[in-house]
Amino acid sequence: MTSTYEQLDIRNVATYPVADAARYLAIPAGTLRSWLHGRTYPTVNGNKYFESLIHLPDSNRPQLSFTNLVEAHVLRVIRQNHKVRLDKVRTALDYVEQKFGLPHPLARAQFQTDGVDLFAESVGQLINTSRDGQLAMQKTLQQLLQRIEWDEEGLAQRLFPLIQLQQADAPRVLEIDPRISFGRPVVVNTGIPADMVMDRFRAGESLESLADDYDFSRQQLEEILRYEMVLSKAA
């Protein structure tokens, strides 16, 4: 059951349409929908159903919350890098949530400490993967979790999105913060929406003029434009 605190927390408000959330995280929209709603799959004994991996804040609205966005960010490495089946991920998540006794464990700092080990061990047992495989999953999850900033209560409060999972150590040029610009990706510590910079570039403004106007370094500006260009193509 959702607590009153969670209902009032802006991080748990239904905000992001699936298309926007998928674009911000560089996840195919169809994939994200299956994480949100589950899906059926054929077997020799008839169709079976994969339970959803992410619980939306309002079952009557299709939008994700910021907390959901963080969960999808973490799940991305599990499904895309390690190809763990949806039902096995759901079972492992249920195990971790039961151990923590808290909802949305993927969006909590506690998951970064002991939760990763619990999850990797549980998945390893479910799919009979080697210890090396478990350690590889732990390593990639830890790298991805470094793109999240936690508040004093251990809840995710800012996300630094990535295009490529292999670039987890890339500079933190962009951030997603539900308190800023309605949760759109903005340039770190400025509040300037990334898509605004991209719109000016598409309108014909030079990199030099944009860098001067916003006081961005060349590296910052190139990272912003690269992020927006890649995500625009994926839309």
Side-chain angles (χ1 to χ4, degrees), residues 9-59:
D9 193 326
I10 192 172
R11 290 171 290 195
N12 296 308
V13 174
T15 302
Y16 302 93
V18 171
D20 287 349
R23 195 171 69 86
Y24 295 163
L25 299 176
I27 297 171
T31 298
L32 184 55
R33 287 190 183 94
S34 72
W35 296 355
L36 296 172
H37 306 296
R39 70 166 185 260
T40 57
Y41 64 100
T43 72
V44 293
N45 298 316
N47 288 340
K48 290 192 175 181
Y49 179 73
F50 284 152
E51 293 288 340
S52 62
L53 302 178
I54 298 173
H55 300 304
L56 294 171
D58 186 342
S59 59

Side-chain angles (χ1 to χ4, degrees), residues 11-199:
R11 290 171 290 195
N12 296 308
V13 174
T15 302
Y16 302 93
V18 171
D20 287 349
R23 195 171 69 86
Y24 295 163
L25 299 176
I27 297 171
T31 298
L32 184 55
R33 287 190 183 94
S34 72
W35 296 355
L36 296 172
H37 306 296
R39 70 166 185 260
T40 57
Y41 64 100
T43 72
V44 293
N45 298 316
N47 288 340
K48 290 192 175 181
Y49 179 73
F50 284 152
E51 293 288 340
S52 62
L53 302 178
I54 298 173
H55 300 304
L56 294 171
D58 186 342
S59 59
N60 296 316
R61 299 179 63 188
Q63 291 92 345
L64 289 77
S65 67
F66 172 77
T67 296
N68 295 151
L69 208 68
V70 173
E71 292 175 293
H73 166 81
V74 179
L75 286 171
R76 181 181 172 197
V77 70
I78 299 165
R79 289 288 291 148
Q80 293 185 8
N81 272 31
H82 297 282
K83 312 298 182 185
V84 182
R85 275 175 39 185
L86 205 65
D87 58 336
K88 304 302 182 186
V89 176
R90 178 69 270 166
T91 300
L93 284 178
D94 287 343
Y95 172 73
V96 173
E97 189 165 337
Q98 182 181 29
K99 286 289 186 180
F100 282 1
L102 295 169
H104 308 292
L106 297 182
R108 295 178 180 271
Q110 189 178 353
F111 184 77
Q112 189 173 14
T113 53
D114 53 332
V116 168
D117 295 342
L118 283 172
F119 183 86
E121 181 182 348
S122 176
V123 169
Q125 292 172 350
L126 290 169
I127 65 177
N128 196 28
T129 191
S130 67
R131 180 59 181 160
D132 287 344
Q134 293 179 37
L135 291 174
M137 184 182 295
Q138 290 172 355
K139 181 179 179 181
T140 50
L141 278 171
Q142 290 288 3
Q143 289 175 335
L144 204 63
L145 287 164
Q146 291 174 11
R147 307 292 299 192
I148 301 169
E149 182 180 283
W150 318 93
D151 66 12
E152 294 178 354
E153 296 181 356
L155 302 175
Q157 65 177 0
R158 287 205 297 173
L159 173 64
F160 304 93
L162 278 175
I163 298 173
Q164 299 294 332
L165 291 176
Q166 295 79 8
Q167 299 173 342
D169 59 347
R172 295 180 173 189
V173 175
L174 297 171
E175 65 177 314
I176 297 175
D177 185 327
R179 300 164 298 182
I180 300 173
S181 191
F182 302 100
R184 289 186 295 167
V186 299
V187 183
V188 169
N189 297 327
T190 69
I192 299 171
D195 57 4
M196 181 185 297
V197 180
M198 188 66 192
D199 287 345

